[in-house]
Amino acid sequence: ARLSDATLARLPAGVARPAYDRQATRIGVVHLGIGAFHRAHQAVYLDDVLAHEPDWAICGVSLRSPDVRDALQPQDGLYALELLETPPRWRVIGAVREVLCAPDQPAEVLARLADPQVKLVTLTVTEKGYCLAGDTLDLSHPDIVADLAHPQAPASAIGYLVAGLALRRARGVPAYTVLSCDNLPDNGGKLRRACVLYAMQFDPALARWIDEQARFPRSMVDSITPASDDALRTRAADALGLADAWPVQREPYTQWVIEDDFAMGRPDWARVGVTLSGDIAGYDRAKLRLLNAPHSAMAYLGTLLGLESVADAMRHPALGPFIATLMHRHIVPNVELPEGMDATAYVDAILARFANPAVHHRLLQIAQDGSQKIPVRLLGTITHALAAGRAIDVLCLPVAGWLQFVRRQAQAGVPLADPLAARLADIGGRMQGNAATDVAVFVNESRVFGALAEAPAFMSALCDAYARVSTQLDASLISAVDPR
Ligand code: NAD
């Protein structure tokens, strides 16, 4: 039998389930990009909210593939969450009441967005889904060009957000709050500028209305959510005694920090463990530089070492200690933390999360989209260190690892998952192992290094790191931990 409202009562006693009457809930949230992370993070907080406030159930929208809808619709939107600890804990989440696939059901999606009962639109569409150029919308992005040709029939996230707001304005319905839950600094600010600039292209009065009436709070999300796989489906079937076509898994640790700026009211966030703060930038910076940067370091250096997961990387005799050293000695001194944050405790908590053997976070998943991740995760720390006159040799090792990773994938003919895939594959195909030429070609032609490309100290440190990563990776990791 399959998980659904009808079979919910058959769940074993150890499996937690919705603590409220699902039928009595109403959809108040539309989520764009209903991937694993949304269902393991925001939907879980909202599942807790629904126990007290019934108006915040979710309509999950996939902007691309019908896969999630096809998996969850027969299950009435129910799915299992596995909390990865020893032994694991299981919980069935009931917050998702409807799942739509936008390419198949554009009218239903627009109707939901225009629904006066909907007060909040959340997003996890990955960095690519914002179609940004730097800090604002890329008006030449093919998805944006296509949507601007007929804004009433959009396909992109920005196109849907604005089309929904246009319908509300036309119908006299108040603007909703748009809450980005993707990992990008100033996510709310970027989203506001993108929506306003997009609307400006065809309706300046709408653009002004959005700027004045809609809200775009910044937020910071943190909980490692490995992609779902068949092994998880098997574990779910065993734990539930019911089939679940798309369970999700995450580490027990979870954090959500939101700026308290909502247009039409909000759930009682504090009650369910969400932090409301005005310093999202501080939390973001800490997370990008102390959690995400070592992740990328493990992804590139770890795959070069033939490792598969974050926990494997932490167990590796050279890479594990390197990551701790990278964080404590090379990143912490170069990052400003939010008021009151204890750097040592924060780093140690992250190292413990990384080492959790129950989490199988695949390095190849983290390695995706390097061209967008490397600048925000690592290059800012390097820029800070250079300005402060500190050594950057160790900080350049993970960046060099990315260059090597791109080269290896390109030369093995493995497609890169990256918005700059074509450009990087071309560059990677031409890298021949000579550090000076490879690094110059990569830095100049990838165009992701910004002002660092003009910094001779960076270029020479990256060349050295690249040479060391290519020929003596283990030894250079060990000597970073224990410099002689
Ligand atoms: P996922 O692959 O399960 O889901 C990604 C979702 O984004 C899918 O619905 C996909 O269709 C959609 N998407 C991808 N490219 C898009 C585009 N160009 N336009 C519109 N939609 C697009 O991945 P996930 O694990 O759910 O992660 C999604 C995002 O959540 C990440 O990019 C990140 O910003 C954030 N996040 C994830 C984690 C994690 O541990 N997985 C942790 C913190 C934050």
Side-chain angles (χ1 to χ4, degrees):
R2 183 133 172 210
L3 179 63
S4 72
D5 280 329
T7 57
L8 209 45
R10 295 199 215 163
L11 287 172
V15 177
R17 66 208 72 192
Y20 51 89
D21 173 10
R22 293 188 83 217
Q23 309 313 318
T25 65
R26 292 200 293 170
I27 289 172
V29 181
V30 173
H31 182 82
L32 304 182
I34 179 160
F37 183 63
H38 170 69
R39 289 189 288 131
H41 184 272
Q42 302 102 66
V44 180
Y45 286 97
L46 286 166
D47 198 54
D48 288 338
V49 164
L50 288 169
H52 312 286
E53 304 172 79
D55 284 351
W56 299 98
I58 302 165
C59 164
V61 176
S62 167
L63 293 172
R64 302 178 136 194
S65 157
D67 53 4
V68 179
R69 179 201 56 195
D70 295 348
L72 296 193
Q73 198 162 277
Q75 303 180 184
D76 303 313
L78 294 168
Y79 58 90
L81 168 70
E82 182 186 32
L83 292 168
L84 300 167
E85 56 199 7
T86 317
R89 269 186 298 141
W90 288 89
R91 170 169 174 182
V92 168
I93 305 299
V96 176
R97 291 294 313 275
E98 179 177 64
V99 187
L100 301 174
C101 169
D104 295 353
Q105 301 163 284
E108 282 102 315
V109 175
L110 290 169
R112 266 301 168 208
L113 289 170
D115 180 352
Q117 170 67 29
V118 167
K119 306 178 191 72
L120 177 61
V121 180
T122 53
L123 296 87
T124 49
V125 292
T126 77
E127 293 171 27
K128 296 185 286 282
Y130 292 75
C131 306
L132 298 173
D135 239 16
T136 188
L137 188 67
D138 178 2
L139 287 171
S140 66
H141 192 291
D143 296 359
I144 298 302
V145 172
D147 280 3
L148 282 171
H150 40 78
Q152 300 83 356
S156 72
I158 303 295
Y160 267 107
L161 287 172
V162 173
L165 287 162
L167 287 171
R168 294 171 83 99
R169 177 168 174 261
R171 295 175 189 178
V173 177
Y176 39 63
T177 299
V178 184
L179 177 55
S180 165
C181 304
D182 279 296
N183 282 324
L184 53 164
D186 188 24
N187 50 13
K190 287 192 173 82
L191 200 47
R192 169 187 293 274
R193 287 188 293 277
C195 288
V196 170
L197 182 62
Y198 175 91
M200 191 73 83
Q201 305 309 306
F202 62 94
D203 187 345
L206 172 66
R208 269 195 305 281
W209 184 81
I210 292 174
D211 202 26
E212 284 162 14
Q213 303 291 321
R215 293 289 184 275
F216 297 85
R218 296 169 184 85
S219 86
M220 192 282 259
V221 291
D222 190 6
S223 190
I224 294 167
T225 302
S228 303
D229 56 13
D230 286 336
L232 175 63
R233 282 186 191 87
T234 304
R235 293 200 298 279
D238 287 345
L240 271 51
L242 295 168
D244 179 349
W246 207 325
V248 294
Q249 56 185 330
R250 71 155 165 82
E251 63 173 335
Y253 179 92
T254 180
Q255 187 182 28
W256 196 5
V257 190
I258 311 178
E259 195 174 31
D260 196 0
D261 184 19
F262 286 78
M264 300 176 68
R266 59 164 174 82
D268 185 355
W269 289 127
R271 181 172 192 164
V272 295
V274 175
T275 304
L276 294 162
S277 165
D279 186 18
I280 304 299
Y283 283 96
D284 261 345
R285 202 184 312 110
K287 184 194 167 207
L288 281 165
R289 297 192 183 183
L290 282 166
L291 177 105
N292 300 134
H295 255 162
S296 289
M298 287 186 274
Y300 301 121
L301 299 170
T303 49
L304 294 175
L305 290 166
L307 306 174
E308 277 182 17
S309 73
V310 170
D312 291 347
M314 290 303 290
R315 272 196 301 271
H316 187 274
L319 186 53
F322 172 80
I323 293 297
T325 299
L326 175 74
M327 293 166 75
H328 279 302
R329 296 224 295 264
H330 299 274
I331 302 180
V332 166
N334 292 304
V335 56
E336 277 171 49
L337 297 175
E339 232 358 77
M341 185 184 274
D342 174 342
T344 305
Y346 187 64
V347 168
D348 288 339
I350 289 172
L351 287 168
R353 293 167 62 194
F354 286 165
N356 180 351
V359 175
H360 297 283
H361 200 175
R362 285 173 49 249
L363 296 176
L364 280 174
Q365 183 193 355
I366 302 167
Q368 293 181 5
D369 302 335
S371 69
Q372 292 192 317
K373 290 175 175 172
I374 290 289
V376 294
R377 296 180 176 197
L378 278 156
L379 299 185
T381 305
I382 293 177
T383 302
H384 191 287
L386 270 181
R390 297 197 186 100
I392 59 166
D393 53 335
V394 172
L395 289 168
C396 282
L397 286 171
V399 182
W402 177 48
L403 270 56
Q404 272 298 343
F405 173 82
V406 168
R407 175 181 172 216
R408 282 212 194 173
Q409 301 283 100
Q411 297 190 356
V414 180
L416 282 163
D418 195 293
L420 298 187
R423 186 190 301 173
L424 293 177
D426 171 54
I427 296 170
R430 287 184 283 124
M431 292 163 80
Q432 300 191 331
N434 176 298
T437 15
D438 284 4
V439 169
V441 166
F442 196 103
V443 170
N444 294 327
E445 297 187 21
S446 67
R447 301 197 290 274
V448 303
F449 288 85
L452 283 175
E454 315 300 326
F458 171 69
M459 293 301 287
S460 79
L462 186 55
C463 278
D464 284 353
Y466 183 82
R468 281 183 286 143
V469 163
S470 321
T471 57
Q472 37 174 316
L473 179 50
D474 271 278
S476 33
L477 298 177
I478 291 165
S479 75
V481 176
D482 212 350
R484 269 169 274 268

